[in-house]
Amino acid sequence: MDDIIIVGAGIGGLTLGLALHAAGIPCRIFESTAEIRAVGVGINLLPHATKELAALGVEADLARAAISTQDATFFNRFGQLIYQEALGRAAGYAHPQFSIHRGDLQMILLEAFRTRAGADRISTNRHCLAVEQDESGVCLHFSDGPDGKDRSTVRGRVAVACDGINSAIRKQFFPGEGEPRYSGVNMWRGVTRWKPILSGASLVRAGWLSHGKMVIYPIRAADADGLQLVNWVAEIETPVYRKRDWNRPGSLDDFIGAFADWHFDWLDVPALIRGADSVLEFPMVDQDPLPRWSFGRVTLLGDAAHPMVPRGSNGAGQAILDARALTSALLAGDDPVVALAAYETQRLEATTRIVLTNRSNPPDAILREVFERTNDQPFVRIDDVISRDELVALSEGYKRIAGYSKDALRG
């Protein structure tokens, strides 16, 4: 068959499917789970990602489901304002920044793909075991789900691994890589129905990892009761962790003590945490950047290629940019091996910089600087601690590296 075979129906796989279909390149998607459900919690889509999704015709659907984020606001753990900047269209970008439930985003992309390409173009309960290739194509071997015994084989022109940080295809090409690299930070996440915080469209970062850091932002508009669905993440340096599992329940008692006195005039943080229906726990992990992604007719995309710690609101966005770049490369010529190599050349170095920057100087480095300069004490005036020019430089530096500075998007 002449199809591009996409392994995984997450954000990267579905975006790639939509992009290929729009370009007239036939593709099929194979997903490990028996049913694609709206799982996960909140994520952010930065303007470089929403620009690509707008080109694929889903911006209006996203806007109805998401919050158009207006500002990034940073506080210390005493609730004192450190820095605030406008985001998305409020900052003069041509495209919005969206805060959205990951499940809502996935369902929008899934429905768009099924409607446009056809429901028969996506298959579930197909867990990838391995890939083989020859001069004319690839063969992918599947089982019926992760623990299934039934085997099947699918042939295509190219295989693209979009199957996440534990990608079977990545492991095939890098068998000695080992488990994901733990950052030393554990995360507890939840969503709570809550009255609008600050602007009602604020992305809040507060505290610091050693004593407890929070990331808080709304992901659905207010309901009839005036309450939004608010995503929150508690991040604490923790020496011991358990293997990442998107659906593992967490215990309030393991982390809420770090935030027990976070009662601010703009938010009662312990009450927000306790208001969640459930709490999920997983470690903040990534992998060291790979020397290559493409092997003949097989390549990696998204978290399968460059898993990064979620400190720059950028993981899903980079998968979306991968999809655009790979589609463009496949359109540029008839030789898929050349196309996959060109895609790697365009994206590997760029994402490597982001993976490493997310470890050291993502946007929340602003919080680290203030924490260290104040010795974790309240300040009288933030200007006595750090200049606005320094704060702006930290923020703008990350935007340049991550590819969503205004100059980069205009280019």
Side-chain angles (χ1 to χ4, degrees):
M1 293 183 68
D2 201 36
D3 293 332
I4 305 295
I5 305 300
I6 300 169
V7 180
I11 308 307
L14 289 168
T15 303
L16 178 61
L18 284 170
L20 291 173
H21 178 75
I25 300 173
C27 64
R28 298 179 68 193
I29 301 176
F30 293 84
E31 164 60 29
S32 178
T33 59
E35 179 186 2
I36 302 174
R37 296 182 294 111
V39 299
V41 280
I43 62 173
N44 278 277
L45 295 173
L46 304 174
H48 57 354
T50 59
K51 176 183 178 181
E52 302 304 330
L53 294 174
L56 293 173
V58 295
E59 183 179 311
D61 292 328
L62 293 172
R64 283 189 288 271
I67 296 290
S68 292
T69 320
Q70 300 298 303
D71 59 272
T73 307
F74 297 79
F75 297 89
N76 63 13
R77 71 182 181 100
F78 307 103
Q80 293 178 293
L81 176 65
I82 294 170
Y83 177 63
Q84 184 176 53
E85 66 175 1
L87 296 178
R89 287 202 169 110
Y93 283 90
H95 296 278
Q97 176 166 332
F98 285 137
S99 297
I100 189 170
H101 193 294
R102 184 195 176 279
D104 291 347
L105 171 60
Q106 187 177 18
M107 292 302 106
I108 287 168
L109 297 175
L110 175 64
E111 180 60 26
F113 181 79
R114 282 176 168 162
T115 299
R116 299 175 192 181
D120 62 333
R121 294 270 102 188
I122 185 165
S123 301
T124 57
N125 215 36
R126 299 286 192 97
H127 181 72
C128 184
L129 301 172
V131 61
E132 297 176 316
Q133 61 181 305
D134 53 36
E135 291 184 359
S136 61
V138 296
C139 286
L140 288 114
H141 304 289
F142 295 96
S143 62
D144 57 330
D147 301 313
K149 305 301 181 190
D150 291 342
R151 300 290 189 266
S152 60
T153 299
V154 175
R155 185 155 178 91
R157 182 161 64 103
V158 162
V160 186
C162 304
D163 48 346
I165 192 169
N166 295 310
S167 166
I169 293 176
R170 179 179 174 129
K171 284 185 170 66
Q172 181 177 331
F173 288 109
F174 297 95
E177 185 177 33
E179 288 297 308
R181 173 188 175 278
Y182 180 49
S183 67
V185 175
N186 209 43
M187 300 186 292
W188 292 264
R189 304 192 64 164
V191 291
T192 305
R193 292 178 69 248
W194 200 260
K195 59 184 179 296
I197 300 164
L198 300 176
S199 70
S202 298
L203 170 57
V204 175
R205 298 179 178 96
W208 184 239
L209 300 166
S210 57
H211 290 66
K213 171 179 165 247
M214 291 292 296
V215 181
I216 304 165
Y217 52 90
I219 55 176
R220 287 183 189 151
D223 56 20
D225 297 329
L227 302 179
Q228 297 176 313
L229 191 66
V230 175
N231 178 87
W232 55 263
V233 190
E235 304 172 0
I236 305 175
E237 290 179 354
T238 309
V240 179
Y241 76 101
R242 290 183 292 169
K243 186 175 179 178
R244 174 168 166 155
D245 176 355
W246 286 111
N247 301 304
R248 181 173 63 240
S251 170
L252 283 176
D253 293 338
D254 288 341
F255 71 98
I256 198 167
F259 308 100
D261 58 353
W262 284 36
H263 305 287
F264 311 134
D265 57 4
W266 52 274
L267 181 63
D268 185 330
V269 174
L272 175 75
I273 293 171
R274 293 187 184 281
D277 290 338
S278 62
V279 176
L280 302 175
E281 174 195 352
F282 44 89
M284 186 183 286
V285 296
D286 65 6
Q287 288 279 34
D288 289 331
L290 295 175
R292 59 185 297 194
W293 300 344
S294 297
F295 300 82
R297 291 172 175 266
V298 183
T299 196
L300 311 177
L301 184 147
D303 276 358
H306 47 72
M308 57 188 66
V309 294
R311 289 177 59 194
S313 301
N314 209 15
Q318 292 304 316
I320 290 165
L321 296 185
D322 289 348
R324 187 276 311 273
L326 179 53
T327 301
S328 297
L330 288 165
L331 273 176
D334 294 331
D335 187 338
V337 176
V338 172
L340 268 53
Y343 153 71
E344 176 188 295
T345 297
Q346 181 180 347
R347 295 292 297 151
L348 189 145
E349 183 180 350
T351 54
T352 293
R353 287 196 302 270
I354 299 168
V355 169
L356 298 179
T357 302
N358 274 14
R359 293 178 180 177
S360 58
N361 280 302
D364 65 9
I366 288 171
L367 300 175
R368 180 192 65 210
E369 286 298 309
V370 173
F371 175 85
E372 292 176 349
R373 295 185 192 195
T374 61
N375 294 315
D376 189 33
Q377 296 297 314
F379 53 77
V380 177
R381 293 173 65 252
I382 188 60
D383 292 344
D384 297 332
V385 178
I386 187 170
S387 70
R388 183 165 182 84
D389 287 347
E390 290 178 279
L391 293 167
V392 170
L394 284 167
S395 178
E396 294 300 318
Y398 185 79
K399 292 172 189 173
R400 285 193 296 274
I401 290 170
Y404 68 101
S405 67
K406 289 178 188 174
D407 287 343
L409 289 183
R410 277 194 292 266

